[in-house]
Amino acid sequence: MATLVDFRAEKPNWCPGCGDFTVLAALQKAAVNIGLEPEEMVTVSGIGCSGKLSQYMGSYGFHSLHGRSLPVATAVKLANRDLTVVAAGGDGDGYGIGMGHFVHAMRRNIDITYLVMDNHIYGLTTGQTSPTSDKGTKTKTAPEGSVEEPVHPLQMALMAGCGFVAQGYSGNLKQLTELIEKGMKHRGFSLINIYSPCVTFNKVNTYDFYKANLVNVDEDASYDKTDRFGAIHKIEEHEELVTGVLYHNPEKQAYDEVLRGYPEQAITKNDLKISRDQWDKIASQFK
């Protein structure tokens, strides 16, 4: 049985105090708690500080292009449904250039877990306004304060029909581990947006800020996680400063369950030998 040591690869070189350390630790703990072996899991990441996650995670990994972690993760999952596939990125990677892939992966309900390390800033490129930066945020690209309405990923996910929507926080390792476990066990697309403070370039959305303002719905016994519109109301009521499982619909079928002709056995386990005539016919289309 795998241990935490088995899921550790290179030593991370993020800035001391970066929230991404906790995300990595939570993912490793979740994998062990579920009982996965490293070879049973694939971590796909995009570009940015969060993109190093696939390099630091001791599973199979793929460091993809900017905003392209979801299509790569989709291909991996459809090629081998036996694998547990996790896609990871930041708010700039996922909600900027990767936004189109985000929406379509949700509506297709691909069976992958998407971790978005949301620090409200572009960290790797030293502090520019990101898609989730609050109005008025002063950065290198908005010295007078951002005038743009930020992206609202939780509401977007709910309206796109995502069957598992949760939000975590790097200051709460226990809850974040539990959220990732639940997301990985969910059959279908799981979004876990994670407030992961950038201690170097964002001096507003800090650990102290989140500690003082976050509301944990997992501690509210009266909260109905099956009520999609109730989830939207709760998110808006607290201006998105909520953590926990916000919505869960376990009845929605995953993409591979409804795709006609999709083989039960992984492509990698099938005999893919083709004749010379078949190969020549395929190759001729690319001349």
Side-chain angles (χ1 to χ4, degrees), residues 261-280:
Y262 184 71
E264 291 186 9
Q265 190 175 36
I267 292 174
T268 55
K269 296 179 182 178
N270 288 328
D271 185 355
L272 297 178
K273 291 182 180 179
I274 61 176
S275 68
R276 181 69 193 187
D277 288 342
Q278 289 173 312
W279 170 253
D280 289 340

Side-chain angles (χ1 to χ4, degrees), residues 168-189:
Y169 162 54
S170 290
N172 190 337
L173 174 61
K174 181 177 182 296
Q175 183 190 34
L176 183 54
T177 302
E178 292 171 353
L179 293 178
I180 295 176
E181 282 185 51
K182 291 175 181 177
M184 293 166 76
K185 290 177 180 178
H186 171 73
R187 193 77 171 86
F189 191 93

